[in-house]
Amino acid sequence: MTPNILFALLTFCFVSTITPGPNNLMVMASGANFGYRRTLPHMLGIAGGFSVMTLLVGIGLIQIFDLVPLSHRILTVLSVTYLLWLAWKIANAAPPASGGEEEGKPLSFVQAALFQWVNPKAWTMSLTAITVYASDRSFAAIALVALMFALVCLPCVSVWTVLGQQMRRVLTNPRRLRAFNWTMAGLLVASLVPVAFN
């Protein structure tokens, strides 16, 4: 891979990872509800889970979509359905208890890693990166794409988590927190529109 293509790949990884999507909106909501430290396993799960997913998609799963195009549509429908349910859960998240301990808990490392498999934006990013930057489908090229995502993902989701944590100061009122959670849920649903109607 030439330096120009590597730079283009790094730029693609950064832009696709930093822009709003289910992962970023979820860690922002988690940062607001639970703080940065408690959201850290969620962030690590996104970075690790998405990199592993990209590697597995590149070395074999992409061939299933090539052979059976309907399988991609079925995955999209299941993913959108799951994310709509998740948006409902975010919208109806309980406000922090009066004793200072939050009700509920953020996603764990494993939950966040597994979430990548039903995240339509993650699938789109992974398939696009493999198709464009690892078109020969060699293991080295696929591994490089996965590595670039691993390096870029954690700093990007951290920005969103910190933003959510900073908003926590404003969200001390349960009504404001509920409005924030409903807004995050609405944005999560809105992020599905390009995927659902593609």
Side-chain angles (χ1 to χ4, degrees):
M1 192 174 287
T2 67
N4 286 345
I5 294 176
L6 188 60
F7 180 75
L9 170 60
L10 193 59
T11 302
F12 174 81
C13 291
F14 174 76
V15 171
S16 60
T17 306
I18 196 74
T19 52
N23 280 325
N24 291 335
L25 295 172
M26 287 172 59
V27 294
M28 185 178 180
S30 184
N33 285 284
F34 305 110
Y36 186 90
R37 187 181 58 78
R38 291 187 66 197
T39 303
L40 191 56
H42 185 166
M43 294 185 289
L44 292 170
I46 290 170
F50 181 69
S51 299
V52 169
M53 177 186 146
T54 299
L55 187 64
L56 294 176
V57 166
I59 63 175
L61 294 176
I62 197 170
Q63 294 173 5
I64 295 172
F65 294 143
D66 292 342
L67 294 172
V68 187
L70 180 62
S71 62
H72 188 262
R73 178 56 60 190
I74 291 169
L75 176 67
T76 300
V77 169
L78 292 173
S79 298
V80 167
T81 302
Y82 176 76
L83 285 171
L84 289 173
W85 175 81
L86 200 56
W88 177 254
K89 295 288 283 181
I90 290 171
N92 291 288
S98 56
E101 287 295 316
E102 295 89 348
E103 292 181 14
K105 56 185 177 180
L107 287 184
S108 69
F109 176 89
V110 172
Q111 289 171 323
L114 291 175
F115 172 73
Q116 303 317 301
W117 294 93
V118 294
N119 180 349
K121 184 182 177 188
W123 276 99
T124 302
M125 290 164 53
S126 183
L127 291 169
T128 301
I130 295 298
T131 303
V132 174
Y133 300 104
S135 55
D136 65 349
R137 308 256 176 102
S138 70
F139 182 79
I142 292 164
L144 184 59
V145 170
L147 177 63
M148 289 297 105
F149 273 119
L151 294 174
V152 168
C153 190
L154 188 60
C156 289
V157 295
S158 291
V159 168
W160 286 85
T161 306
V162 169
L163 182 59
Q165 183 182 28
Q166 294 305 311
M167 293 184 73
R168 191 177 193 183
R169 298 174 183 171
V170 178
L171 302 175
T172 54
N173 179 303
R175 281 201 328 213
R176 282 189 289 216
L177 181 61
R178 182 166 290 281
F180 172 80
N181 286 341
W182 273 92
T183 301
M184 290 297 98
L187 290 172
L188 181 57
V189 171
S191 76
L192 299 175
V193 172
V195 175
F197 297 104
N198 188 1

